[in-house]
Amino acid sequence: MDVGSCSVFEAEIKKKQGERKRKSLHLDHFSLTTMLHLTTGRVGSLLAQRVTAALTSSSVRMASHGHEVAANEDLSQPMYWDSTNVPLPDRRYKVTLSSEDERLKQKEKGPWDQLSKEEKLALYRLSFSQTFSEMNQPSAEWKTVVGTIFIFLGLTGLIVWWQKVYVFPKPPRTFDDEWQAKQLQRMLEMRMNPIEGISSKWDYEKGQWK
Amino acid sequence: MAHPTQSGFQDAASPLMEELLHFHDHTLMVILMISTLVLYTIITMTLAKLTDMLVLDSQEIEVIWTILPAIVLTFIALPSLRILYLMDEVSDPHLTIKATGHQWYWSYEYSDYENLEFDAYMIPTQDLTPGQFRLLEADHRMVIPVESPIRALVSAEDVLHSWAHPRPGIKVDAIPGRLNQTTFMASHPGVFFGQCSEICGANHSFMPIAIEAVPLPHFENWTSLMIEDA
């Protein structure tokens, strides 16, 4: 797999090797280390790509939640699929039929009311892998999503609490309960916001909230 | 001033601010209706069991959802423009006051009276008496007579400031070298606090404005006292 990120090294190598070819072909320290760097670089980035794919690709996430992924298909051949949007695929699900299946298929050519319920179901399963209700089954992915959300909320909460304890300075004295009470009383006495605001909620005659 | 955790507007202290409050209610109602419609559409489309695979375009709905927003916007624009022009009406003011912004205090000149000028500095937090409002109290309040149209001429001495109080619904930029005019009227007596609304340096948050609207006899008393003290 050519990652292309070592082209600078490769250019250097080619130049040095070109020069050295004219002299001799023995492996010197420089070419050994550069070749090692090339390999390590290639292996390292290959590894990184594989790990990223493993951690984030949709096929991996789906497979871990009960939606098994089939092998990669040749898309130029008639395909089978289960889809509610496009419900009739290119081909039947079971391509090669046993003799029992062949017999059932022959019986299907006759009147259908002579087919028993199990036979009808068997015929369905020959043509299709999943039923509509099976296709529409929900997965367990929501649990991972919700769990991750809560984890991050919790982490954020932890950070906020730590900030409150170790970072924030003491609030000004106007935030003391006593001051706030006096402030509220002053607001009421000054009739602040008397129409729909705070002074309108106070009953001045009875001296209490309405 | 607002009470703690207040999220809505404070009550209006002038007719213009009442108009603005009503306009705000009207606009928010329009927004609520649009948002409800959109939310409903999103939910029904997401939870629908069937998918139409062959939708490419639809001219009819494109026309509808272009024309309909235009109509909705006129419903918002017409009241808005009305208030805009209402704000610029000059209403034969009884009094003219010059408010000048400095770094970092306001000065007021009542040129209709002789020698009535004073500066208004914020009362620092450590000098407040219990119950006073932090960052809002000023050592001198701009006193005006209630229910009289007042012309305010706002300017600045050094850098940009802005003379703003939410309750009378005033916000006028104080620009050095320029005189901005606004007229307003206090509908009822009270103290209306405001804060400088244009960044002007280190103490931009610490140069409040306090307007005190009082009945006319009290106002005349005050002016006499201020002129004597000057």
Side-chain angles (χ1 to χ4, degrees):
Chain A
M1 178 164 197
D2 188 58
V3 295
S5 58
C6 302
S7 54
V8 171
F9 285 111
E10 287 179 318
E12 285 283 325
I13 300 246
K14 280 199 170 64
K15 196 169 113 194
K16 289 273 178 210
Q17 281 180 345
E19 286 172 45
R20 264 181 278 115
K21 256 192 182 118
R22 279 173 253 125
K23 295 173 195 166
S24 69
L25 278 170
H26 68 267
L27 289 170
D28 59 2
H29 175 70
F30 174 76
S31 59
L32 265 175
T33 48
T34 4
M35 284 201 282
L36 188 63
H37 282 145
L38 257 182
T39 327
T40 331
R42 282 201 169 122
V43 168
S45 68
L46 182 63
L47 216 65
Q49 283 186 344
R50 288 275 155 86
V51 166
T52 316
L55 286 176
T56 59
S57 82
S58 56
S59 57
V60 174
R61 277 187 288 116
M62 292 282 275
S64 68
H65 290 289
H67 288 265
E68 297 305 323
V69 178
N72 286 335
E73 296 208 24
D74 180 359
L75 298 176
S76 61
Q77 298 301 310
M79 281 177 67
Y80 174 76
W81 61 76
D82 286 306
S83 165
T84 55
N85 288 355
V86 189
L88 300 176
D90 293 339
R91 63 165 172 83
R92 198 172 55 214
Y93 178 54
K94 263 207 188 151
V95 186
T96 45
L97 297 173
S98 64
S99 53
E100 186 63 35
D101 300 332
E102 286 288 351
R103 196 188 60 75
L104 208 54
K105 274 290 183 191
Q106 285 304 315
K107 194 170 176 196
E108 193 188 19
K109 290 180 181 170
W112 286 343
D113 48 16
Q114 287 183 2
L115 293 166
S116 72
K117 184 169 171 226
E118 291 76 21
E119 283 173 334
K120 286 178 189 166
L121 287 174
L123 279 167
Y124 181 88
R125 292 289 176 182
L126 285 182
S127 304
F128 301 102
S129 166
Q130 289 184 310
T131 64
F132 271 81
S133 48
E134 285 164 10
M135 273 188 252
N136 288 332
Q137 290 251 298
S139 77
E141 190 183 12
W142 69 271
K143 296 179 198 167
T144 309
V145 172
V146 170
T148 314
I149 291 174
F150 281 138
I151 286 174
F152 277 106
L153 281 176
L155 278 171
T156 311
L158 221 59
I159 292 173
V160 168
W161 164 82
W162 178 86
Q163 272 182 342
K164 185 153 189 337
V165 171
Y166 291 102
V167 176
F168 289 164
K170 194 167 162 300
R173 60 190 185 135
T174 54
F175 282 73
D176 300 340
D177 290 333
E178 211 185 295
W179 194 294
Q180 287 288 313
K182 288 214 169 91
Q183 192 169 287
L184 181 57
Q185 187 178 26
R186 186 154 175 267
M187 282 168 75
L188 292 172
E189 282 165 8
M190 288 168 85
R191 303 289 198 276
M192 309 221 89
N193 292 332
I195 301 158
E196 287 179 331
I198 194 148
S199 301
S200 66
K201 307 280 190 284
W202 178 261
D203 192 338
Y204 284 94
E205 275 143 43
K206 290 187 197 154
Q208 62 188 28
W209 292 109
K210 285 187 187 166
Chain B
M1 70 165 255
H3 69 260
T5 70
Q6 176 170 342
S7 58
F9 285 119
Q10 298 178 49
D11 285 343
S14 78
L16 199 67
M17 189 59 199
E18 284 175 42
E19 293 288 337
L20 283 170
L21 288 181
H22 292 317
F23 173 67
H24 184 257
D25 289 342
H26 163 79
T27 309
L28 276 190
M29 181 54 80
V30 171
I31 290 173
L32 183 67
M33 293 197 304
I34 296 171
S35 304
T36 311
L37 178 66
V38 171
L39 189 65
Y40 170 75
T41 310
I42 289 173
I43 290 176
T44 39
M45 284 204 173
T46 314
L47 297 178
K49 298 278 187 247
L50 301 173
T51 310
D52 186 344
M53 308 257 304
L54 305 173
V55 171
L56 288 174
D57 65 4
S58 171
Q59 296 303 326
E60 297 82 2
I61 199 169
E62 293 274 355
V63 170
I64 293 172
W65 68 34
T66 307
I67 303 285
L68 215 53
I71 296 174
V72 168
L73 284 174
T74 31
F75 272 102
I76 297 177
L78 292 176
S80 174
L81 288 172
R82 175 183 150 263
I83 297 181
L84 188 65
Y85 282 91
L86 212 61
M87 292 205 287
D88 280 342
E89 279 184 14
V90 181
S91 50
D92 187 24
H94 296 174
L95 185 62
T96 302
I97 305 177
K98 271 209 290 296
T100 313
H102 308 254
Q103 281 178 315
W104 287 280
Y105 62 96
W106 292 91
S107 65
Y108 302 104
E109 298 168 29
Y110 289 63
S111 312
D112 297 316
Y113 298 81
E114 282 183 32
N115 282 337
L116 185 39
E117 294 176 10
F118 55 92
D119 299 336
Y121 283 81
M122 182 185 86
I123 299 179
T125 308
Q126 62 254 35
D127 296 343
L128 291 171
T129 59
Q132 282 192 314
F133 309 128
R134 185 178 74 100
L135 304 188
L136 287 179
E137 301 278 3
D139 55 5
H140 292 108
R141 292 180 181 162
M142 187 184 106
V143 182
I144 56 171
V146 78
E147 284 194 10
S148 310
I150 313 278
R151 175 195 282 124
L153 298 170
V154 182
S155 184
E157 196 68 39
D158 35 40
V159 296
L160 294 179
H161 300 271
S162 185
W163 200 64
H165 340 93
R167 283 196 66 197
I170 300 171
K171 185 173 289 188
V172 188
D173 280 357
I175 299 167
R178 182 185 168 89
L179 214 52
N180 279 330
Q181 170 182 290
T182 188
T183 51
F184 69 97
M185 188 182 85
S187 326
H188 55 259
V191 185
F192 316 130
F193 294 102
Q195 294 175 290
C196 175
S197 298
E198 185 68 45
I199 185 83
C200 52
N203 287 347
H204 157 68
S205 321
F206 309 116
M207 45 184 290
I209 308 129
I211 297 181
E212 192 170 340
V214 293
L216 193 55
H218 295 267
F219 173 71
E220 297 286 350
N221 268 346
W222 173 80
T223 48
S224 323
L225 280 168
M226 290 297 282
I227 293 170
E228 275 173 24
D229 285 342

